[in-house]
Amino acid sequence: MRTVLRRLEEKGYVVHAVEGRTYIYEATQPRAVAAARAVQRIVDWFCNGSVEEVLVGMVDSAMVDQKQLRTLADKVAKAKERKR
């Protein structure tokens, strides 16, 4: 486990502090940011960078239901309004 954590620290994903003899590890970025970066790598690798292809695939395979699609559409609309 320590080897994995050390490698994650070398890559900048976690940092650690020492309290007595205990190493305390903490993520360097919020969960949502880390998830977005991971998804971006998947999109780039499997779908040639097409987020649309990923989303359509998720809808076609029933990973996303109608309620989730409406929520996503609302968030996209709100994001567009903020940019104006």
Side-chain angles (χ1 to χ4, degrees):
M1 181 56 85
R2 286 182 64 184
T3 300
V4 171
L5 287 167
R6 183 177 44 79
R7 288 179 181 164
L8 288 171
E9 190 168 22
E10 288 170 0
K11 293 179 180 184
Y13 294 111
V14 297
V15 293
H16 82 273
V18 180
E19 292 182 12
R21 294 179 52 201
T22 305
Y23 282 66
I24 308 294
Y25 287 88
E26 182 178 15
T28 58
Q29 53 191 268
R31 183 184 311 227
V33 172
R37 289 178 65 194
V39 169
Q40 184 63 58
R41 286 192 301 272
I42 291 168
V43 169
D44 291 343
W45 181 261
F46 290 105
C47 299
N48 296 320
S50 173
V51 173
E52 181 178 348
E53 188 176 327
V54 172
L55 293 175
V56 168
M58 291 175 74
V59 171
D60 289 347
S61 65
M63 288 179 64
V64 179
D65 63 25
Q66 291 296 318
K67 182 179 177 185
Q68 291 170 317
L69 283 174
R70 280 192 294 277
T71 301
L72 182 58
D74 290 344
K75 288 182 179 185
V76 168
K78 287 177 185 177
K80 283 184 178 179
E81 286 299 318
R82 283 194 301 264
K83 288 185 177 181
R84 291 182 185 180

